[in-house]
Amino acid sequence: MRTTTALLASATAVAALLTLTACGGDGSGGSSPVIGGPGADSGTGADTDGGPHEGTLENPTKNGGVNGNAPKDGTAFQKLPKAGTMAAAARFINGHTDCSRISTDPGEDGPTGPGAEFDKAATVTETGYCGSPRITTVILYKDAKAFQSAFKAEMAKKGNNGNPNQGIVVGQDFAMGSQDSDAMSALLQPQAGLLMLNCHPDFKPPSGFRKEPALVKGCVLTDYYKDE
């Protein structure tokens, strides 16, 4: 498992997401608020709808939640899952890799980084952390095109020196990155339905992998990912 320091030094697209923090933790290592986890009283538990705009794993299009309003004949982006809430995004991710408890606190050793400036440009509304020990970052955003533009700009600031085969796993209104390469790969499998946003100018996937237009020029949506 790579450390946060190593991720920051790598300047890869995955590092950019792993270092995001919309609200941040207090570094105390104490108890943290849990969204939709056992014992939560917000109505976002695993057996509830969790909100008026949220689907469930059993019925993902309910209330326009995960996969809601995705046309079968739409573009690659339009066919991506849509969450609506952090609880829905976490449950969707948990169907493919561990995200059973989603927290707003990254923990004592959790990721830190660009913060408010990036969040504003990327229209980030909420950030959550899950996995064990909270090595997956999940974010919600309002404007997908603005998010992709901000991500591309963040990579350009780093000089595009990172791994050309890495990026951020995205849905229509949420994204995830993880220090666990298996978690990233699991969400790019056909049954998951997510794709990776890759804005590296040298990205050239092997034949047979997808390379679909993203919402901003210079970025693509792909199912190809290589950790090294």
Side-chain angles (χ1 to χ4, degrees):
M1 181 186 303
R2 296 172 294 173
T3 64
T4 302
T5 301
L7 284 168
L8 288 168
S10 71
T12 63
V14 174
L17 180 57
L18 290 173
T19 56
L20 296 183
T21 175
C23 53
D26 59 9
S28 65
S31 61
S32 59
V34 177
I35 306 170
D41 58 5
S42 61
T44 55
D47 297 324
T48 67
D49 292 337
H53 306 297
E54 183 180 329
T56 66
L57 289 176
E58 294 74 22
N59 187 4
T61 60
K62 186 175 183 178
N63 300 323
V66 177
N67 277 328
N69 305 318
K72 294 181 179 179
D73 58 349
T75 65
F77 175 78
Q78 290 173 322
K79 292 179 182 179
L80 292 174
K82 184 178 182 180
T85 67
M86 182 61 73
R91 282 206 292 273
F92 178 81
I93 292 170
N94 193 54
H96 306 281
T97 188
D98 179 32
C99 196
S100 57
R101 290 180 64 84
I102 184 81
S103 172
T104 59
D105 186 346
E108 186 174 330
D109 299 320
T112 58
E117 183 178 349
F118 179 91
D119 291 344
K120 182 178 180 180
T123 68
V124 173
T125 60
E126 193 172 354
T127 303
Y129 307 90
C130 59
S132 179
R134 294 199 186 109
I135 54 176
T136 292
T137 303
V138 185
I139 62 173
L140 296 180
Y141 47 82
K142 291 192 297 185
D143 187 326
K145 187 172 183 179
F147 173 79
Q148 293 184 17
S149 295
F151 176 74
K152 180 183 177 183
E154 189 70 21
M155 292 301 93
K157 284 195 292 185
K158 296 177 182 297
N160 290 312
N161 294 321
N163 186 337
N165 298 313
Q166 289 186 337
I168 294 178
V169 177
V170 296
Q172 288 191 49
D173 62 351
F174 69 101
M176 68 80 69
S178 181
Q179 292 168 299
D180 183 349
S181 60
D182 289 339
M184 302 282 284
S185 297
L187 288 165
L188 295 176
Q189 298 305 307
Q191 59 268 31
L194 296 175
L195 291 174
M196 178 167 281
L197 175 68
N198 188 314
C199 299
H200 200 291
D202 296 328
F203 175 59
K204 294 180 181 179
S207 61
F209 288 93
R210 299 177 67 180
K211 189 177 180 182
E212 310 277 359
L215 298 181
V216 298
K217 187 176 181 180
C219 297
V220 296
L221 297 172
T222 182
D223 57 354
Y224 183 73
Y225 162 68
K226 190 167 184 273
D227 188 38
E228 297 178 356

